[in-house]
Every structure is written in structure tokens, then in C-alpha cells.
Amino acid sequence: MPKTLIECYRAIEASSVQMLDAARSQDWDTVVHHEGVCAVLIEQLRSQARRLELDAQERAEKSRIMLRILCNDAKVRDLTEPWLAYCDARFNTQSTLLH
């Protein structure tokens, strides 16, 4: 568990990198795993942000980290959209066959 606020941001960034790597490999189970890891880390971040503050250097690092997380998230979405469309098409086809 991250002990400082900036460590929380770093951990979320690291998990987002792993999620992107998994998406690039089409390892969807690992993508889902890291999505869950990020959710837990974000909850820890929220809790710590209520009682801790970042200094000026950490705020600059936080900005860099947030931009990277957003970029990684966009790339993951680009990679997962075709897969989600495939799953949606299969699901809709299967539900049609059941009726």
C-alpha cells in the first residue's frame, strides 16, 4: 500500500502502464485485473488526499503522472473498442438465437 500521496499517483500510473501493455497483447483478463487495481488505488488516493498535501515538486510530478494516465487510458480504449464491439456482436447474435 502506498504510504504517501505521490506514491499513490505513481502506483496508479504503473498500473495504467501494465493495463496498456496487457491491452496491446490482447490479454483482456489482465486488463480487467489492472482496472480493478486502479480502482482500489484511486480509493486509497481519495482517502489520503483528505489528510495529506503535495508540495510544489510533487504537484508538478502529479501533473505529469495524470497526463500519462490519461494518455494510457485513451490508448487502452482505442485497443479495447474493437474487442468490445466483437463481444457485443456475439452477445446480440447469441441472444437472437435463444429466442
Side-chain angles (χ1 to χ4, degrees):
M1 181 170 153
K3 294 183 180 173
T4 66
L5 199 51
I6 198 66
E7 286 176 357
C8 284
Y9 285 104
R10 289 175 187 151
I12 294 166
E13 177 186 25
S15 190
S16 79
V17 169
Q18 292 173 320
M19 190 183 319
L20 177 56
D21 289 343
R24 285 179 173 147
S25 300
Q26 298 184 355
D27 182 354
W28 308 120
D29 289 336
T30 301
V31 170
V32 170
H33 168 76
H34 284 289
E35 189 175 37
V37 169
C38 283
V40 169
L41 291 168
I42 289 167
E43 203 49 47
Q44 290 174 359
L45 174 72
R46 285 185 181 134
S47 174
Q48 288 197 14
R50 291 185 193 115
R51 55 187 168 76
L52 301 173
E53 291 185 21
L54 299 172
D55 63 29
Q57 182 179 356
E58 290 172 328
R59 283 192 302 274
E61 184 178 358
K62 171 193 167 189
S63 293
R64 181 200 58 79
I65 288 170
M66 293 302 296
L67 287 173
R68 185 153 185 225
I69 291 169
L70 290 171
C71 182
N72 290 343
D73 184 62
K75 290 176 183 176
V76 168
R77 288 176 193 266
D78 286 345
L79 292 165
T80 58
E81 283 180 8
W83 178 73
L84 291 173
Y86 168 78
C87 289
D88 188 46
R90 273 189 66 87
F91 178 74
N92 287 334
T93 301
Q94 287 179 347
S95 64
T96 303
L97 295 175
L98 294 176
H99 293 299

